[in-house]
Amino acid sequence: MADVIIIGAGPAGLSAAIYVQRAGKTAQVLEAMTYGGQIVNTPEVENYPGIKNISGFDFATALYDQAVSLGAEVIFDAVDRIEKVEASEESADVPLWRVVTASGAGYEAKAVILATGAKNRKLGLDREEELTGKGVSYCATCDGAFFKGKPVAVNGGGNTALEDAMFLSNYCSKVYVIHRREGFRGEPHILDALKAKENVEFVLNATVTRLITASEDGAREKLSGVEVKDKITGESRELAVEGLFVAIGQEPANQSFENVVPLDPHGYIAAGEDCDTGTPGIFTAGDCRTKAVRQLTTAASDGAIAALAACNYIG
Ligand code: NAP
């Protein structure tokens, strides 16, 4: 049995694992997908203190290697639920929690750190799910290469959308940046660089209202365009694109834990900067927590805070 179970192997979870191991306790990390979380989708990280420039994948791999080399055990299995273990002799001082996975396995520990991050927000359009992988994508780094020389659109106005558009503009014939208002959340320097690109066109005050498809010669149906509606004029038009990269932010996926920790009205785990959920033995770290800034540095910082709090709690 490990001292601390960490749910999620993103930057917050892996940082927590490093701090747990370095504190002389043992960490077991449960991860549903692959290590690294959302940062693996970022082509370049340039704002992590001490590192000038690194790809998100390389950063995540270094973090994973560091955690594992310190002795953390990473298990790739999706967590289904957390249950309180009835008090026993072994858990008389500090009660145990059992983490049950989709494969039916159960892992017990005195402390649990929830570091589940957030998942990509969907547009909620008809056939969006069916067309994912057939033109609709949530990851330019992963899927961008399939659209070499082709026209694409990016939807969103945050850093992810701007970085995706910049990345795609290097090899797609045309990149439309569709955003629902004039102002951007993303950093001005990327916005300025995008504005200087000849193959980038901004479609502002607009929302994507329909996914248009085509199938050629009996081939499988795929995206051939998007309908966008101008919010000011009310007019709609079609953009002929083969790819739509949806980059409209993230939302948490914490519903499975609402029996053990409080969630805020947006579904994030309600915990302050001390990463304490208020439930004895359950801590949280990173983007899944209520917070104002969701960055790589704040995720790593949360990981350290939650890990030390968990180790203190265990005693
Ligand atoms: P974000 O900053 O939350 O931006 C989401 C964008 O999508 C906003 O422009 C928002 O519009 C728009 N949007 C939200 N819901 C929408 C909807 N239903 N339909 C159409 N548009 C919608 O998300 P993000 O860009 O993924 O970034 C998340 C966090 O990661 C941010 O803190 C960001 O700075 C950080 N990040 C950092 C880096 C880096 O430092 N290298 C890279 C990527 C991301 P409004 O603006 O109108 O609300």
Side-chain angles (χ1 to χ4, degrees):
M1 190 178 91
D3 295 312
V4 183
I5 291 175
I6 298 162
I7 304 178
L14 291 174
S15 299
I18 289 168
Y19 271 79
V20 167
Q21 291 292 142
R22 296 259 309 156
K25 307 278 187 206
T26 53
Q28 216 163 32
V29 185
L30 290 168
E31 167 59 55
M33 313 277 280
T34 179
Y35 66 79
Q38 292 177 61
I39 199 63
V40 294
N41 300 332
T42 299
E44 281 184 298
V45 177
E46 291 185 333
N47 55 6
Y48 193 83
I51 302 174
K52 258 190 184 168
N53 182 296
I54 189 168
S55 79
F57 179 76
D58 287 349
F59 181 86
T61 303
L63 203 53
Y64 175 82
D65 287 346
Q66 192 179 358
V68 171
S69 71
L70 285 166
E73 183 189 3
V74 183
I75 299 160
F76 292 95
D77 199 353
V79 169
D80 183 57
R81 61 187 185 277
I82 302 177
E83 303 165 343
K84 198 166 193 170
V85 178
E86 291 306 320
S88 68
E89 251 176 52
E90 195 183 354
S91 66
D93 52 341
V94 174
L96 288 181
W97 292 101
R98 181 183 299 120
V99 178
V100 183
T101 67
S103 71
Y107 301 90
E108 291 180 2
K110 288 178 179 172
V112 176
I113 298 174
L114 301 172
T116 49
K119 62 181 170 57
N120 293 317
R121 183 175 287 134
K122 307 279 187 295
L123 284 165
L125 292 173
D126 259 7
R127 307 187 63 197
E128 185 173 347
E129 200 171 326
E130 180 193 333
L131 290 168
T132 299
K134 297 173 185 168
V136 176
S137 169
Y138 302 85
C139 176
T141 323
C142 323
D143 301 331
F146 299 122
F147 299 89
K148 216 169 193 170
K150 294 176 177 167
V152 298
V154 175
N155 191 192
N159 271 330
T160 304
L162 298 185
E163 284 187 4
D164 284 359
M166 182 56 82
F167 177 68
L168 294 164
S169 70
N170 292 329
Y171 50 84
C172 292
S173 58
K174 173 104 189 169
V175 179
Y176 294 98
V177 178
I178 305 165
H179 179 36
R180 64 182 177 185
R181 61 191 176 96
E182 293 281 327
F184 285 82
R185 279 177 202 270
E187 290 169 27
H189 76 97
I190 320 178
L191 184 60
D192 291 343
L194 268 182
K195 282 179 179 165
K197 289 259 180 172
E198 281 185 358
N199 61 341
V200 174
E201 184 177 328
F202 289 87
V203 183
L204 301 183
N205 300 309
T207 50
V208 179
T209 44
R210 190 162 62 93
L211 302 171
I212 301 161
T213 57
S215 54
E216 287 162 10
D217 304 330
R220 65 177 193 153
E221 207 170 7
K222 58 180 188 172
L223 192 80
S224 62
V226 292
E227 181 188 78
V228 288
K229 185 173 182 180
D230 187 306
K231 289 170 75 181
I232 295 170
T233 63
E235 280 171 20
S236 290
R237 67 170 165 136
E238 289 182 11
L239 305 176
V241 291
E242 294 190 30
L244 172 67
F245 291 87
V246 181
I248 59 167
Q250 286 81 37
E251 40 193 24
N254 296 321
Q255 288 78 7
S256 344
F257 309 126
E258 62 188 348
N259 62 322
V260 288
V261 291
L263 304 186
D264 74 14
H266 302 288
Y268 291 97
I269 297 165
E273 294 301 311
D274 60 4
C275 297
D276 192 335
T277 65
T279 303
I282 304 197
F283 302 86
T284 181
D287 286 6
C288 63
R289 162 173 97 76
T290 305
K291 53 171 34 200
V293 180
R294 292 193 170 85
Q295 291 284 304
L296 203 48
T297 42
T298 57
S301 153
D302 269 16
I305 294 167
L308 296 177
C311 292
N312 265 340
Y313 170 81
I314 295 167

